[in-house]
Amino acid sequence: MTKALYPLKFEPIFMERIWGGNKLETELKKPLGGKSGIGESWELSGVEGHVSVVSNGFLKGNTLAELLEIYMGDLVGDAVFQRFGEEFPLLIKFIDAREDLSIQVHPDDALAAQRHDSFGKTEMWYVLQAEEGARLISGFVETVSQADYLKAVEEKRLESLLASHPVQAGEVFFIPAGRVHAIGAGILLAEIQQTSDVTYRIYDFDRRDAQGQARQLHTQEALDAIDYKAYPDYRTAYEVLSNAVSPVVSCPYFTTSVLALDGPLTRDYYSLDSFVILICTEGAARLVYEGGEVAVAKGETVLIPAELRQLTFRPEGQVRLLEVYVPHG
C-alpha cells in the first residue's frame, strides 16, 4: 500500500536566456548564486528532458513522471489522467525579462500535433513586478491580412502592427494559441501554460548571441499559426476579493483564480477531480491538510494532489496566491 500524498514542492529548473537577468534571485529568492542571465525558473514541468524533481517529504528525489506512473489519478485526478495519461498537462514558470523577449506565436493543438507531435500552447501571464515604463506586446492593433502581415515582417516594421501595453504588478494577460506576443524588458511574471515547448520566433530585434549569431526565425511556420484578428481589450479584467476566491481566467486547459488572504480560508477541492497548483506571489502562509501542514512563501509553487480534498490556508500577514487546476472536459 502506498503512503498518502501531501502538498508537493519541487526543485526549480533554471534556464539561461540571452534576455535574462537576476530578479529570480533578488525578488523571488531563487538560489542563483549571484549569477545573472537566468531568464526562467521552471517551477513545475513534465517536459521531456526538464522533468521536475520533488524537494520535500518522503517522495523527495522522485520525478513528477515517476509520481504520475505510481499515483495516476490520485495525483492528478481521474478525469485529468483519463484525458492526458502520464503526461502532466501544465507547465509553470517564473520569467525575468531584463531585455525584450522575441516577438513570437505558438500553434494550437491541431497544428502542433500535425507538425510536432505535441500539444499546442495557450498560456497566461500574471505580472509580479514591472519597472517604470515597462510594456509587453499582445495581439494586433487592427485586423490584418496574412499578406499585409508578411510584408510588414519583410520590411521590418512588424512592431507598428502590434498592440503594446504598459503594465504593472497584478495585471493579467491571457495568450491563446495563435496570438502574437512578447514580454518586454523590466517585467517579472508568472506564466501558466499548456505543456509544450513549441515556439515560432517571428522577430528578435536583430539581436546576436554570444557567438555573434542571429537567432533562428520561423517566418513561414508562423503564418498558419497566427490569429490575424484584432480584439477590443487584451488585458484580463478581474476583481480581487478579500479572503475569498477571485476568478481570473478559465479556458479548456486551466482555470486560474487569485487568493488574496489576511485570514484563514478553507477550500474544498472534492468536486474538481484535478490536482491544484498554488503559486505564491506575495507573503507567506501555512497550508493545513489532513495529516499535516506545509509552509509556502513568495516565489514558491506547491502541487496539491487530487486526493487531498480539503485545504486550509493560514496566512502569516497578507498573502497572495494563484490557484490553478484543470477543468472538466
Side-chain angles (χ1 to χ4, degrees):
M1 183 175 173
T2 54
K3 289 185 183 178
L5 287 167
Y6 55 94
L8 297 158
K9 294 184 178 182
F10 295 83
E11 299 287 349
I13 301 167
F14 299 129
M15 298 292 189
E16 201 165 343
R17 297 290 188 249
I18 193 171
W19 39 260
N22 64 354
K23 286 183 184 174
L24 295 172
E25 183 168 53
T26 60
E27 297 288 330
L28 301 182
K29 310 305 180 191
K30 299 294 178 184
L32 303 185
K35 186 177 182 183
S36 189
I38 304 298
E40 301 182 10
S41 175
W42 289 23
E43 296 291 293
L44 186 53
S45 167
V47 175
E48 188 174 352
H50 304 289
V51 179
S52 294
V53 176
V54 179
S55 65
N56 69 321
F58 76 89
L59 290 169
K60 183 177 180 178
N62 286 270
T63 68
L64 181 58
E66 289 167 341
L67 266 56
L68 261 166
E69 188 178 349
I70 296 167
Y71 290 99
M72 300 183 288
D74 287 343
L75 178 68
V76 296
D78 291 335
V80 173
F81 191 77
Q82 188 172 5
R83 185 173 163 193
F84 296 101
E86 292 182 11
E87 290 191 73
F88 193 75
L90 297 180
L91 172 57
I92 307 298
K93 303 176 181 177
F94 290 121
I95 296 178
D96 169 24
R98 180 176 53 85
E99 299 176 7
D100 293 332
L101 273 68
S102 61
I103 298 172
Q104 54 190 236
V105 72
H106 307 296
D108 63 15
D109 284 348
L111 191 59
Q114 175 190 330
R115 290 183 176 174
H116 309 284
D117 191 27
S118 169
F119 292 120
K121 186 174 172 182
T122 285
E123 60 192 322
M124 66 162 279
W125 298 332
Y126 178 92
V127 179
L128 295 169
Q129 188 255 347
E131 294 173 13
E132 187 175 351
R135 308 176 72 89
L136 58 78
I137 288 169
S138 178
F140 290 97
V141 176
E142 296 178 347
T143 297
V144 298
S145 68
Q146 187 180 94
D148 287 343
Y149 160 83
L150 188 55
K151 187 177 181 184
V153 170
E154 290 168 348
E155 294 175 356
K156 295 192 176 180
R157 53 179 180 83
L158 173 61
E159 288 177 89
S160 68
L161 304 183
L162 300 175
S164 175
H165 312 273
V167 295
Q168 56 187 7
E171 290 192 309
V172 170
F173 286 78
F174 177 63
I175 313 288
R179 183 163 296 168
V180 175
H181 61 276
I183 301 170
I187 297 174
L188 176 69
L189 58 77
E191 180 176 276
I192 298 157
Q193 61 157 95
Q194 288 178 268
T195 291
S196 170
D197 209 21
V198 180
T199 295
Y200 297 151
R201 191 180 297 119
I202 296 167
Y203 181 59
D204 196 37
F205 309 100
D206 299 321
R207 193 160 34 192
R208 302 278 168 171
D209 64 18
Q211 286 71 46
Q213 301 295 314
R215 294 203 293 171
Q216 182 184 5
L217 300 180
H218 308 95
T219 305
Q220 292 302 316
E221 295 94 327
L223 292 178
D224 293 333
I226 292 172
D227 177 2
Y228 297 94
K229 184 180 175 183
Y231 293 87
D233 193 357
Y234 292 100
R235 279 184 182 82
T236 299
Y238 69 100
E239 181 184 1
V240 178
L241 307 171
S242 182
N243 296 317
V245 180
S246 305
V248 179
V249 167
S250 187
C251 70
Y253 309 106
F254 50 81
T255 295
T256 302
S257 300
V258 167
L259 305 180
L261 312 175
D262 60 12
L265 176 73
T266 297
R267 294 285 284 136
D268 185 348
Y269 294 132
Y270 181 80
S271 64
L272 294 186
D273 199 10
S274 168
F275 60 87
V276 174
I277 299 168
L278 299 170
I279 306 163
C280 188
T281 63
E282 186 181 313
R286 289 177 292 124
L287 310 177
V288 182
Y289 64 100
E290 186 179 359
E293 64 178 58
V294 170
V296 63
K298 179 180 177 180
E300 291 189 313
T301 300
V302 183
L303 176 63
I304 309 300
E307 73 169 27
L308 295 186
R309 307 299 196 187
Q310 194 176 81
L311 195 66
T312 297
F313 297 82
R314 298 196 180 279
E316 298 171 3
Q318 293 194 337
V319 66
R320 186 170 291 206
L321 305 109
L322 302 179
E323 178 191 76
V324 186
Y325 64 88
V326 176
H328 287 265

